[in-house]
Amino acid sequence: MLVDSPPEQRAVPAPAPPTRQAVRALGLLLSVAILLLVAMASIAIGAKALSPDQVWHGLFHDTGTYGDVVVDERVARTCLGLLAGAALGLSGAVLQALTRNPLADPGLLGINAGASAAVVTATAYFGVTSLTGYVWFAFLGAAVVGALVWFLGGSRGATPVRLALAGTAISAALYGYIQAVMIMDDAALGKMRFWTVGSLASATHSTIMQVLPFLAVGMLLALGLARPLNAVAMGDDTARALGANLGRTRALAMLAATMLCGAATAACGPIVFVGLMVPHVVRSFTGPDLRWILPYATVLSPVLLVGADILGRVVARPSELQVGIVTAIIGGPVFIFLVRRRRTAQL
């Protein structure tokens, strides 16, 4: 005959540990909260010191000086920083999966070089002087180079190695052309010196609206490629066994990366290391699943870019340090660390 043990002696089942999916989802929500805090800090902090009360009145009440500084300048550059950061991080994650190279970034396939070469050409030979004009030339240059890399890499038969080699060769040629034009044309050099280092300082609502359609389509396309890119990352034979269409997936991935990186570069200039660092860091705690890497990169990359922009405004007051310089200063040591860690892991 079985007798129940006294209530105080019964074993209490341990609470079930949270699943990895739940932890990832919670981490993504926390990342969104951090992004909102950084965005608010970007509006509140600038090269021109304003009190919280002045920032509040500039946002909601004042149409004078404070409104001009807060709404027309800080809100616009914060919005552009959020969009450009998300685009660079997402394109970097897509290209790392496409090339199966965790140290790849949007510059690897020559997209930055194509946009820069087009802007230099527009400035030196077509007399384009406004940011509005730069946007379309930069996007056209990025698109042309993206298509050329895809063609030289073998089109539907493209492999990660071919794409990387084609992008590196075209980048080297275009950067040589850029330097030659800028050396021979002092006017072009003067007009381009801020754009070529990458900056959010010239952000306007008009610029944002011009690049927004390309960024929106590119983000939706990239996020929708998570599953097929997971298959591609396992190798061509495995991807085919899983039913993935390699040619279509690579073509769409190239298109998404070109739209994202081209639009971001057009609006801000070539900003380095964001597309390299964030996806690589994200992969360390999400694992190789692109269904999580892509959303995390979309949220955390703007944190890095806007945070670097805030730092650039603070360290050089009353002037400011361009965000492209700050990300390069931060990214250089991080890149060396990543390369050394990868080399150590392979030994």
Side-chain angles (χ1 to χ4, degrees):
M1 179 176 181
L2 297 176
V3 179
D4 289 342
S5 59
E8 62 274 8
Q9 295 181 2
R10 293 175 185 167
V12 177
T19 65
R20 190 170 185 182
Q21 297 285 75
V23 172
R24 287 169 171 172
L26 183 61
L28 189 58
L29 291 176
L30 179 61
S31 300
V32 172
I34 294 172
L35 178 62
L36 293 175
L37 290 175
V38 171
M40 290 189 289
S42 178
I43 295 173
I45 301 171
K48 179 180 177 61
L50 296 178
S51 68
D53 184 63
Q54 290 171 330
V55 172
W56 179 265
H57 279 277
L59 277 173
F60 299 106
H61 302 292
D62 192 356
T63 58
T65 303
Y66 297 148
D68 292 342
V69 172
V70 175
V71 177
D72 294 342
E73 296 180 18
R74 293 186 187 176
V75 172
R77 76 187 292 170
T78 299
C79 291
L80 183 58
L82 295 175
L83 291 170
L88 293 172
L90 194 52
S91 63
V94 168
L95 291 177
Q96 287 174 14
L98 179 65
T99 61
R100 296 201 288 271
N101 180 359
L103 298 180
D105 75 337
L108 179 68
L109 298 186
I111 297 172
N112 283 347
S116 299
V119 172
V120 168
T121 301
T123 302
Y125 300 115
F126 297 101
V128 178
T129 58
S130 68
L131 185 62
T132 303
Y134 291 165
V135 167
W136 296 107
F137 275 93
F139 188 79
L140 177 63
V144 169
V145 170
L148 184 59
V149 168
W150 175 247
F151 175 76
L152 294 178
S155 300
R156 291 188 175 275
T159 64
V161 174
R162 287 180 179 179
L163 291 173
L165 289 175
T168 301
I170 292 174
S171 293
L174 289 178
Y175 279 126
Y177 164 76
I178 291 168
Q179 295 300 319
V181 172
M182 293 179 69
I183 288 173
M184 293 187 295
D185 190 334
D186 292 337
L189 177 62
K191 294 171 185 174
M192 292 293 299
R193 68 181 186 275
F194 288 114
W195 189 87
T196 52
V197 298
S199 174
L200 299 175
S202 300
T204 64
H205 297 289
S206 174
T207 302
I208 294 171
M209 295 309 297
Q210 289 182 64
V211 299
L212 184 59
F214 300 104
L215 293 175
V217 173
M219 287 180 186
L220 290 174
L221 182 58
L223 292 171
L225 287 171
R227 286 183 181 275
L229 281 175
N230 270 340
V232 171
M234 297 178 185
D236 290 2
D237 293 338
T238 303
R240 290 191 186 96
L242 293 174
N245 187 321
L246 292 177
R248 182 177 63 189
T249 299
R250 286 173 176 154
L252 291 176
M254 278 291 297
L255 177 61
T258 299
M259 294 183 74
L260 290 169
C261 187
T265 304
C268 309
I271 297 176
V272 297
F273 288 119
V274 175
L276 164 67
M277 286 189 291
V278 177
H280 196 87
V281 171
V282 165
R283 194 178 295 106
S284 67
F285 59 83
T286 64
D289 191 346
L290 285 158
R291 292 174 298 176
W292 289 102
I293 292 175
L294 297 183
Y296 265 100
T298 304
V299 174
L300 291 179
S301 297
V303 172
L304 173 61
L305 185 61
V306 176
D309 189 45
I310 296 171
L311 182 62
R313 297 182 227 170
V314 172
V315 298
R317 280 179 173 170
S319 183
E320 65 178 74
L321 201 60
Q322 305 303 318
V323 68
I325 298 174
V326 179
T327 58
I329 293 172
I330 297 172
V334 172
F335 181 74
I336 294 172
F337 169 76
L338 294 176
V339 171
R340 288 183 60 84
R341 189 177 71 170
R342 179 171 171 80
R343 181 181 178 185
T344 302
Q346 292 175 342
L347 293 178

